[in-house]
Amino acid sequence: MAVIADVADFRAAARRRVPHFLFEYIDGGSYQQVSLARNVEDLAGVTLDQRVLRDVSTIDPSVTLFGQRLALPLVLAPVGLAGLNARRGEVQAARAANTAGVPLCLSTVSACSIEEVAAGSGRPPWFQLYMLRDRGFVAAMLDRAKAADCPALVFTVDLPVPGARYRDLRSGLTGAPGLSGQLRRLGQALAKPGWCWDVGLLGRPLTLGNVAGVLGSSAPLGDFLGWLANNFDPAATWADLEWVRSRWPGPLIVKGILHPDDARAAVSAGADGIVVSNHGGRQLDGAISAVKALPDIVDAVGGTTRILADGGVRSGLDILRYRSLGADAVLAGRPWVWALGAAGERGVAQLISMFDNELRAAMALTGTTRLEPL
């Protein structure tokens, strides 16, 4: 593998290794990808104050979040299909995260189930959940997360309907039902023989582990994605969040907040934390970036709830940028999946170490020796 110096190198390596339809799904945004670009550009535009002649010989980037001590203010964000980028991929990523002292948040539509990740990594992950039409499925997932002792629930609220993702149509992941779609994806997979061996053959079953009980483990990927797309609930309201709160005893984090009024409503409904996020630019194209939305939300609910942010994180320096705007911690999605696709568990471990080193250097150059209290 080529020398890995930054996140862009992981992205390039993943692109060479994983099938085209899978890379496009992870990499892409909705519509013309305006919000996807804004996330990166707006975060890069945050100015930090360089300070000098301060004793920065001891740097401590750790934080305490929802009763957990994190080695740095980073959570590996929930990403659907992430585990298909390497053999039983979410298990590998969770092992790397646990070793580094940061949480992995497992997506509802992960390749590996909650139970597999908990058993395979030695520690239960955070769990991300959507509000779906099938409330029985939602209730069952809450029960499974409780039974697995997941330490936090991240409830995603910005997906009443899926955004239009043109890159997925062009790649054949969506819009190509039945045998024709399967053959198209198979052709792309066969063009990546390393992935075919590692994931396609040795990493079976290729399913969505948490959903397999609904459609059966032998259902093709297209059936899983179709079931999910048809089950997002456009009728969900704040009352449904209160229903989730009543069934979940642990920390509840609401993801997908961009407006101060929605932040206040989430706190009123019982959220212990919020994630300021535009879903990685994958939903409403043209929506404000988390970077631009964050200050007003901090003004609205800062001090009453924990505030996390995601979108555009490509380095440890970006973690400090979000912190400078008032975020307690950040979530990063695409980077860890690119690292997983490039080099499996070793890649994710290297990425987290890279973020840690970059954050420590940025803290030293701004005269910051510790991140708590905010």
Side-chain angles (χ1 to χ4, degrees):
M1 188 172 64
V3 172
I4 298 294
D6 66 4
V7 166
D9 294 331
F10 277 122
R11 178 180 180 272
R15 188 171 204 162
R16 290 191 296 268
R17 185 177 180 276
V18 305
H20 177 65
F21 69 86
L22 188 55
F23 177 83
E24 289 292 282
Y25 173 77
I26 299 299
D27 197 66
S30 64
Y31 299 90
Q32 303 304 320
Q33 305 185 115
V34 173
S35 290
L36 174 60
R38 279 181 183 168
N39 285 342
V40 177
E41 293 166 2
D42 290 350
L43 187 54
V46 174
T47 301
L48 297 171
D49 289 331
Q50 180 168 313
R51 303 301 300 271
V52 298
L53 295 178
R54 296 190 174 194
D55 182 356
V56 291
S57 57
T58 302
I59 299 290
D60 180 9
S62 65
V63 297
T64 301
L65 197 64
F66 307 114
Q68 293 181 259
R69 193 68 176 171
L70 279 58
L72 63 160
L74 172 70
V75 178
L76 303 191
V79 180
L81 309 187
L84 297 180
N85 285 264
R87 187 194 316 174
R88 314 314 298 165
E90 287 100 358
V91 173
Q92 292 196 53
R95 284 199 297 258
N98 292 344
T99 300
V102 300
L104 175 137
C105 184
L106 188 70
S107 171
T108 295
V109 288
S110 55
C112 304
S113 68
I114 299 173
E115 295 82 4
E116 182 183 356
V117 172
S121 68
R123 188 181 306 168
W126 289 19
F127 184 64
Q128 176 271 332
L129 184 63
Y130 297 108
M131 178 53 72
L132 302 177
R133 296 176 192 268
D134 186 346
R135 295 295 196 272
F137 174 83
V138 176
M141 289 308 309
L142 286 168
D143 290 342
R144 288 172 64 181
K146 283 189 288 187
D149 291 325
C150 291
L153 179 73
V154 175
F155 189 64
T156 300
V157 296
D158 60 356
L159 221 160
V161 296
R165 301 173 188 174
Y166 300 148
R167 287 173 67 172
D168 291 344
L169 284 169
R170 295 186 184 109
S171 73
L173 179 65
T174 61
L179 182 61
S180 63
Q182 294 179 45
L183 291 175
R184 187 174 176 184
R185 292 187 290 272
L186 177 61
Q188 294 177 24
L190 292 174
K192 307 292 183 179
W195 182 92
C196 282
W197 175 256
D198 180 52
V199 181
L201 292 177
L202 301 181
R204 303 183 75 84
L206 303 183
T207 62
L208 303 183
N210 297 314
V211 186
V214 177
L215 297 178
S217 59
S218 61
L221 180 61
D223 288 358
F224 285 108
L225 296 178
W227 176 86
L228 184 68
N230 292 329
N231 246 295
F232 290 121
D233 190 357
T237 68
W238 293 108
D240 295 294
L241 176 59
E242 293 171 355
W243 176 77
V244 171
R245 173 74 283 178
S246 71
R247 300 183 67 95
W248 178 256
L252 173 63
I253 306 153
V254 178
K255 183 175 182 289
I257 300 295
L258 288 174
H259 195 282
D261 289 346
D262 288 341
R264 295 185 187 98
V267 173
S268 295
D272 300 297
I274 62 172
V275 181
V276 181
S277 169
N278 65 16
H279 211 100
R282 297 167 68 83
Q283 281 296 98
L284 176 62
D285 202 24
I288 190 173
S289 68
V291 179
K292 295 296 187 183
L294 182 58
D296 287 344
I297 290 175
V298 171
D299 287 344
V301 298
T304 64
T305 193
R306 304 309 294 268
I307 300 175
L308 296 82
D310 81 353
V313 175
R314 299 293 183 267
S315 69
L317 180 60
D318 289 335
I319 297 175
L320 190 61
R321 287 177 168 131
Y322 266 128
R323 286 279 304 190
S324 74
L325 297 175
D328 293 293
V330 306
L331 284 77
R334 289 181 179 90
W336 77 260
V337 183
W338 291 330
L340 179 70
E345 180 180 346
R346 176 170 57 88
V348 179
Q350 183 180 350
L351 174 82
I352 298 171
S353 177
M354 182 187 301
F355 277 7
D356 181 60
N357 291 334
E358 292 165 342
L359 175 59
R360 288 173 182 270
M363 289 174 64
L365 293 171
T366 57
T368 307
T369 57
R370 53 194 300 266
L371 296 180
E372 286 193 325
L374 182 63

